[in-house]
Amino acid sequence: MRYGNGSGGFAVDEGHPQGLRIALLGPLRAWRDGTPLDLGPVRRQAVLAALVLRADTQVSQEGLLDDLWDGRVPASGHKVLPSHVHPLRKALDLADAGPKDSVIRSGKGWYRFVGHKVLLDVTELDERAAEAREAKVSGDASTALDRFSEALALFRGEPLAGLPGHRAAAERRRLLERRFALRLERLDCLVLLGRAAETLDELADLSASEPLNESVLALRMRALYAGGRQAEALNSYQDMRSRLSEELGIDPGEGLRRTYDAVLHQDTARLLGAAPLAAQPLPRRTVNDLPGDAGHLIGREAELDRLIAPTAPGAVSIMTVDGTAGVGKTALVVRAARELSDRYPDGCLFVDLRAHSTQRRQSPEQALQRLLRSLDPTIGKLPSDLEELSRVWRATTSALRLLLVLDDALDADQIRPLLPAGAGSRVLVAGRRRLAELDADRRVTLQPLASGAAVSLLGHIIGEERAGREQEATHRLAGLCDGLPLALRIAGSRLQNRGAWTVEYLVGRMAGDEHRLGELSVGNRSVEAAFRLSYDQLGPEQQRGFRALGLAPTVEFDVLTPATMLDMPSYDTERLLESLVDTSLVQEPRPGRYRLHDLVRVHARRVAEGAPEEALAARRAAFRLYLDAGRIASDWGAGGFPTGPGPTGAPFTDWRDAETWLEAAGGELVDVVGHAAALGEADYACWLAEALCDYLVRHGRYHESQTALEIALAHVDQATDQRMSAALRSCMAYTAVHQRRYRQAGIYATEALGLSRRRADPGEEARAQLGLGAGALSVGEGDRAMSHAAKAAGLARQLRNDWVAWMALVILGLAHQFQGRNEEALGFFADALAHAQKEGRPHMLGRVLSCAADAHLRLGRYGAARSRFREAIDLAEQVGDVFLCARSLTRLGTAEQGGGDPGAAIALHHQALLQHQLLNPLTEPSYDWLEMDIRSRLAYAYLATGRVREAREQFQAVLDVHSAREHRADRALDDWDPHA
């Protein structure tokens, strides 16, 4: 086979194991044995691209940094590269691969990508291009055309799309220039094969994009000449000559002048080749029913290439194009059919089956009668029975090579009777449904246009000059249309017909979901009407499911969310979702995750408004699901959430299950709080923000916690649960302490204390006391910290709240420890451990064990410190607490050194540094503090082994971090860290 599924268009040899594949001719992607790999954020992808582009070559760290940061190396310098290379190795390497087997090798100051065992699309591009040129040189223009088409099909958009750095930019330009050259060579083959008419539209587009490119004009002149348009070819040369003279002050080059001379003297052999095939006239078609081409087709190059690529000879080839309403299916298949038409001399036929139309749907019987009369208007009376008609159709087409376009198809039963019988015929089917039951050779699922293509389409419609004057507004308008060609064309048409309107004005009219679809209507074209036709085709269960999906609080969701909203078993919900995917109303961006196109979501919500009671129940069920997950995942336990609905009957087996589900939601958790607030569900907004606080903070997602709480606080006065006013402020204090914003933490905790006392709420008073105690401890006020923590501990005993008691005892222990009273601190830590063991949460256990180990370390009890640090590290690894793991590893190293093994200490400090690199310096406030702590301990370990130079380097690194930190942040007391 030539193209493998899931391989991004790679050519592979029959029987060759798939292995590792990397594609650069579009967005950077990779597969291992056909399974897509997660390559992380764009900066990490840029690291991989820089290495792959110089495969099997050692690349210095300085070179990589310069490639990616354009000479503006980040403050973390070389330390940033391992934080990208390590996860890339995890993603790309086999599970059991060691350092010597990794595809990314490294040494002192360099990295190297091992490319000889990796399949790269750029390598495939070289091979196809070389085969094409070899065939062309040997006179086999037909084979050369196929190979050039295959080479161009490898491009999936802009190469290295979105990757930063001058190396990626330079390669992007080079590959785009190469694609341009390949397109010209392919078009040259068409001219040599006597199919010059097929090249003119594309050459016109190339000329428009490269008006001074002489190679493009030379080829276009030859194509015009082949079509009998000698005068037009000569005039185009004169136009180019004038432009070159006016703009560059030069004359046309020798190659273009020779082409002009050959056209002038009608030298056909020089222009079109001497081969007999090139001199023969184009075959004449018996019939061509194709509708007029819609014109400018933008952003569909890869899909078009798939549809027009050569097919296996001797069989009827079927190709399907599916996608949501308005995504441009008809325009694509009509353009493909026009480009293919010269290959089908016996006829090009088109039938609109009207599956989603205000007109009556076309039956197979009606379609067959029309097709037969198109081929032979004198055929006479035809049978009305479908079976008889099919027999006549098969007999009529058995000797013909036809191209048949079936537009707006409903299902396979509508299509099968219409398939021609002639070997080599091709059928293009377009429809909103995915026709899985139809045996197709190629399937294209058409997605909305990417941002750049959407903006280009708008610019084409309203004029580049007008779009250029309002670039930002044009981008926003393209975003509001979410890349849907129908929406873009309607919006562009409205601007065309209203010259006084600015793009910004139309953007303003489309603000808010309630106005968005209303503005996307002109004449008899309407985005909402197109969606409504799809909705009307659904069964009752599908319609109810579609309405519920419009109410989902996140853009992307799994099966559990709609299952909860619909009160259906997960298996039945998945079946329902997959059926909606098949109708193109729902997208499945990755296995098990679903979403609606932005405009489809707006339509779904509007439809749901027609059943307000159903909508309210579904919406609250979704909020309840996230609320249950947040509360179950929280270390605060049931006692931490005394008001609001309790998690009874929640679909999570334990806190790990709930946490895993929340993690899959990614960065959309804040949107759930915002969604509740926007819908007037103030209580749910407050409950959700509180429930998610501990989960987000424990995972270092402080800004998300702060944002969710700020949204909820803005609506707390509308909430019926009066506890929320104090609770949210305590949550803000809890978050602020971890962000090292101690002054703000004190303000929020003081406000929470006053509110809780006025309401006589001991639970919220205890949390407020904890906030004040943690803040006081953080700024070195040990006595005040003890006072607040003791009050919180007393309230915890009264409330029987293990989390509050644990936190209060940890603060008391740390306050005593910082005063040098380590024995007393150990007593508090022992009591805290007992409360943590009741809850059984690894984070609570690991943190108190690490604190107790610190006290033992200060007392010189190295054996006791080692055992507790090891337990803390195991627990931190269970929950992915990178900070606690790194902190405990470096202190374990100090304990090993104290026990007489500085070599083991050095190894542990280096492990801690590797963990530290997994943290995000932009979101982790204690990032610098932890690095300085680790490097200081490492320096002392080096001194203990007599390695003075290495120790000096580490001490200097500490000073460098401290110096850089002073320029970035306010000074704060670093004697204690909230993660300690």
Side-chain angles (χ1 to χ4, degrees):
M1 65 180 178
R2 187 164 290 283
Y3 293 97
N5 292 333
S7 62
F10 280 64
V12 293
D13 296 327
E14 190 70 40
H16 191 289
Q18 290 186 321
L20 178 61
R21 305 169 180 277
I22 298 178
L24 298 95
L25 300 175
L28 184 65
R29 297 178 63 192
W31 299 262
R32 167 73 68 181
D33 298 329
T35 300
L37 304 178
D38 182 6
L39 300 179
V42 291
R43 188 70 70 179
R44 186 172 303 155
Q45 294 180 34
V47 172
L48 176 60
L51 291 170
V52 171
L53 289 167
R54 290 181 285 189
D56 300 314
T57 302
Q58 285 188 11
V59 184
S60 70
Q61 292 183 355
E62 288 77 11
L64 269 180
L65 289 168
D66 185 61
D67 283 351
L68 302 172
W69 278 273
D70 299 336
R72 298 183 294 274
V73 180
S76 50
H78 294 171
K79 297 187 290 298
V80 74
L81 289 175
S83 70
H84 291 305
V85 171
H86 176 69
L88 283 173
R89 285 170 169 160
K90 288 186 65 178
L92 298 172
D93 291 343
L94 293 169
D96 57 350
K100 293 183 179 180
D101 299 318
S102 176
V103 294
I104 301 178
R105 310 285 170 82
S106 61
K108 188 171 184 180
W110 59 265
Y111 291 97
R112 175 167 58 88
F113 183 86
V114 181
H116 64 276
K117 292 185 178 180
V118 181
L119 294 176
L120 303 174
D121 59 354
V122 289
T123 303
E124 176 72 10
L125 182 71
D126 292 339
E127 293 172 357
R128 294 284 80 78
E131 291 172 4
R133 292 186 183 110
E134 182 178 350
K136 190 176 178 183
V137 168
S138 67
D140 187 356
S142 179
T143 298
L145 175 66
D146 291 346
R147 296 298 171 268
F148 280 129
S149 297
E150 292 168 5
L152 286 165
L154 293 169
F155 287 89
R156 298 169 294 106
E158 182 183 73
L160 304 172
L163 296 191
H166 63 78
R167 164 71 62 171
E171 283 297 322
R172 192 178 298 118
R173 286 192 298 271
R174 184 185 69 80
L175 290 169
L176 286 172
E177 289 168 1
R178 187 162 188 202
R179 181 170 69 177
F180 191 95
L182 289 170
R183 288 177 70 182
L184 283 183
E185 292 188 83
R186 176 183 172 276
L187 292 171
D188 184 56
C189 290
L190 286 171
V191 172
L192 293 173
L193 288 167
R195 295 162 56 185
E198 297 177 47
T199 70
L200 291 173
D201 286 347
E202 187 171 353
L203 284 169
D205 289 340
L206 292 176
S207 294
S209 64
E210 296 276 356
L212 299 179
N213 190 305
E214 296 183 29
S215 298
V216 174
L217 180 59
L219 184 55
R220 185 163 181 264
M221 289 173 66
R222 292 169 55 206
L224 288 168
Y225 175 85
R229 297 156 68 178
Q230 180 189 17
E232 188 175 343
L234 295 173
N235 288 337
S236 65
Y237 172 85
Q238 296 300 340
D239 290 341
M240 172 65 87
R241 182 178 180 181
S242 298
R243 280 199 302 272
L244 289 171
S245 177
E246 292 170 5
E247 297 183 28
L248 302 178
I250 60 174
D251 291 324
E254 183 179 352
L256 186 56
R257 290 199 304 271
R258 284 201 304 267
T259 301
Y260 171 76
D261 184 72
V263 173
L264 185 65
H265 293 92
Q266 299 183 12
D267 191 343
T268 302
R270 282 170 60 192
L271 293 168
L272 305 179
L277 278 176
Q280 293 179 2
L282 293 174
R284 295 187 177 274
R285 295 185 293 275
T286 303
V287 62
N288 187 336
D289 280 349
L290 297 177
D293 199 334
H296 221 60
L297 195 70
I298 293 176
R300 302 302 192 198
E301 292 81 4
E303 294 88 347
L304 181 61
D305 286 345
R306 286 197 66 196
L307 293 179
I308 66 174
T311 58
V316 177
S317 299
I318 303 173
M319 300 171 188
T320 67
V321 178
D322 63 80
T324 192
V327 80
K329 302 177 292 295
T330 301
L332 176 63
V333 295
V334 169
R335 172 60 64 85
R338 289 206 164 274
E339 296 211 9
L340 289 165
S341 58
D342 289 338
R343 306 184 202 174
Y344 297 91
D346 296 319
C348 299
L349 306 174
F350 179 91
V351 180
D352 183 357
L353 295 173
R354 300 197 293 264
H356 304 87
S357 172
T358 54
Q359 297 177 278
R360 179 176 295 180
R361 184 182 305 156
Q362 187 145 210
S363 68
E365 293 89 341
Q366 292 172 317
L368 281 173
Q369 289 186 351
R370 177 181 169 185
L371 288 167
L372 285 164
R373 294 194 186 283
S374 292
L375 289 177
D376 184 4
T378 65
I379 198 169
K381 186 176 180 180
L382 290 168
S384 57
D385 179 71
L386 178 60
E387 186 174 345
E388 289 296 322
L389 273 170
S390 298
R391 188 177 296 118
V392 174
W393 172 246
R394 289 194 296 272
T396 302
T397 59
S398 61
L400 301 179
R401 188 173 176 218
L402 296 171
L403 174 63
L404 174 61
V405 178
L406 301 175
D407 191 32
D408 198 13
L410 178 66
D411 54 31
D413 291 338
Q414 194 184 26
I415 295 166
R416 287 194 187 99
L418 311 183
L419 298 178
S425 294
R426 186 184 309 223
V427 183
L428 304 179
V429 183
R432 299 184 189 181
R433 296 175 181 267
R434 292 183 177 178
L435 304 173
E437 65 274 26
L438 188 69
D439 292 330
D441 298 275
R442 295 176 195 153
R443 299 181 189 273
V444 173
T445 295
L446 212 53
Q447 301 292 350
L449 294 173
S451 175
V455 171
S456 296
L457 179 56
L458 275 175
H460 173 72
I461 297 169
I462 69 175
E464 298 297 340
E465 182 181 352
R466 189 176 181 185
R469 287 198 306 267
E470 298 184 80
Q471 290 185 15
E472 184 179 344
T474 302
H475 277 84
R476 292 211 308 275
L477 180 57
L480 287 169
C481 295
D482 201 17
L484 193 70
L486 175 61
L488 292 162
R489 291 188 180 279
I490 290 175
S493 179
R494 298 200 73 191
L495 289 169
Q496 278 180 331
N497 292 304
R498 289 167 174 80
W501 284 17
T502 63
V503 180
E504 183 69 42
Y505 178 72
L506 179 56
V507 168
R509 289 175 66 96
M510 292 176 65
D513 287 353
E514 66 275 13
H515 302 299
R516 200 160 160 197
L517 286 177
E519 293 296 324
L520 293 175
S521 176
V522 61
N524 61 358
R525 290 200 300 174
S526 164
V527 172
E528 186 159 28
F531 292 157
R532 186 78 202 198
L533 288 168
S534 291
Y535 175 78
D536 289 342
Q537 294 284 349
L538 303 176
E541 183 185 65
Q542 289 177 309
Q543 288 185 341
R544 177 172 170 252
F546 178 70
R547 292 194 297 270
L549 296 182
L551 302 169
T554 57
V555 172
E556 196 173 290
F557 45 84
D558 65 350
V559 173
L560 184 55
T561 302
T564 304
M565 298 171 76
L566 295 166
D567 194 21
M568 286 173 58
S570 291
Y571 175 81
D572 293 337
T573 306
E574 184 176 19
R575 176 181 52 79
L576 173 63
L577 286 170
E578 291 297 329
S579 74
L580 290 172
V581 169
D582 288 339
T583 67
S584 296
L585 282 170
V586 174
Q587 300 169 336
E588 189 173 10
R590 46 204 172 97
R593 302 293 295 182
Y594 302 88
R595 59 166 292 155
L596 301 181
H597 181 277
D598 279 359
L599 294 176
V600 174
R601 185 184 308 106
V602 174
H603 174 64
R605 287 179 182 169
R606 287 167 70 114
V607 175
E609 289 170 2
E613 292 184 6
E614 174 189 284
L616 179 64
R619 198 164 53 221
R620 288 189 172 174
F623 292 147
R624 177 71 180 272
L625 176 66
Y626 280 90
L627 180 63
D628 289 349
R631 289 183 168 184
I632 292 170
S634 174
D635 280 351
W636 297 350
F641 308 101
T643 59
T648 54
F652 306 108
T653 54
D654 57 17
W655 66 268
R656 293 177 182 83
D657 193 18
E659 192 163 288
T660 299
W661 186 78
L662 289 172
E663 185 177 346
E668 293 195 78
L669 293 177
V670 176
D671 295 338
V672 180
V673 179
H675 192 54
L679 292 170
E681 297 279 6
D683 281 305
Y684 272 103
C686 295
W687 293 331
L688 284 162
E690 178 194 37
L692 294 169
C693 175
D694 182 55
Y695 164 78
L696 292 171
V697 167
R698 281 191 289 105
H699 288 265
R701 295 160 65 177
Y702 312 122
H703 181 70
E704 291 176 67
S705 176
Q706 178 186 339
T707 303
L709 290 166
E710 287 173 346
I711 292 171
L713 270 171
H715 296 80
V716 73
D717 291 340
Q718 288 85 52
T720 60
D721 187 347
Q722 296 181 13
R723 182 182 69 86
M724 286 294 102
S725 189
L728 294 178
R729 285 170 170 82
S730 286
C731 291
M732 285 293 284
Y734 181 69
T735 303
V737 165
H738 284 79
Q739 293 173 302
R740 292 178 171 263
R741 299 187 302 124
Y742 304 127
R743 187 177 64 82
Q744 292 91 334
I747 292 171
Y748 281 117
T750 301
E751 290 176 357
L753 183 62
L755 289 166
S756 63
R757 284 177 171 171
R758 282 197 292 274
R759 288 192 65 248
D761 186 337
E764 291 310 318
E765 181 180 350
R767 284 211 288 186
Q769 295 283 9
L770 285 178
L772 290 167
L777 185 66
S778 301
V779 295
E781 297 179 4
D783 290 338
R784 191 162 67 88
M786 284 188 244
S787 173
H788 288 298
K791 291 173 183 175
L795 290 166
R797 284 192 295 273
Q798 173 188 332
L799 297 165
R800 296 185 179 179
N801 187 314
D802 287 308
W803 183 85
V804 172
W806 167 80
M807 188 68 182
L809 290 163
V810 168
I811 293 172
L812 285 166
L814 289 169
H816 283 80
Q817 187 182 98
F818 296 160
Q819 292 180 355
R821 298 152 66 184
N822 291 294
E823 290 289 2
E824 293 172 75
L826 283 171
F828 287 112
F829 293 145
D831 290 343
L833 182 61
H835 286 283
Q837 287 169 336
K838 290 181 185 178
E839 293 294 317
R841 297 298 181 97
H843 174 77
M844 294 170 63
L845 290 164
R847 185 169 171 187
V848 71
L849 283 167
S850 188
C851 291
D854 262 340
H856 283 294
L857 188 60
R858 295 186 184 206
L859 290 167
R861 300 170 184 167
Y862 301 120
R866 284 198 298 268
S867 65
R868 284 161 179 78
F869 278 132
R870 289 193 181 103
E871 288 183 71
I873 291 165
D874 289 342
L875 291 163
E877 288 176 342
Q878 284 181 35
V879 294
D881 190 334
V882 176
F883 193 102
L884 180 61
C885 186
R887 179 196 179 283
S888 300
L889 277 167
T890 194
R891 282 163 168 71
L892 176 58
T894 301
E896 291 287 3
Q897 182 178 339
D901 193 348
I906 291 170
L908 287 164
H909 295 316
H910 279 292
Q911 287 183 45
L913 282 173
L914 289 173
Q915 286 289 311
H916 172 264
Q917 289 174 2
L918 300 177
L919 296 168
N920 187 337
L922 300 177
T923 59
E924 176 51 66
S926 300
Y927 184 89
D928 293 335
W929 171 87
L930 181 59
E931 182 176 0
M932 289 188 290
D933 184 52
I934 297 171
R935 292 193 183 280
S936 294
R937 295 172 187 273
L938 176 57
Y940 284 114
Y942 277 138
L943 284 177
T945 58
R947 296 160 68 177
V948 177
R949 184 180 60 80
E950 288 98 327
R952 185 183 298 112
E953 289 174 355
Q954 293 303 319
F955 282 132
Q956 184 60 52
V958 172
L959 292 174
D960 291 343
V961 172
H962 188 270
S963 177
R965 182 176 178 277
E966 285 187 326
H967 290 290
R968 291 198 308 268
D970 295 332
R971 295 190 178 193
L973 186 64
D974 287 340
D975 289 339
W976 179 82
D977 184 83
H979 295 280

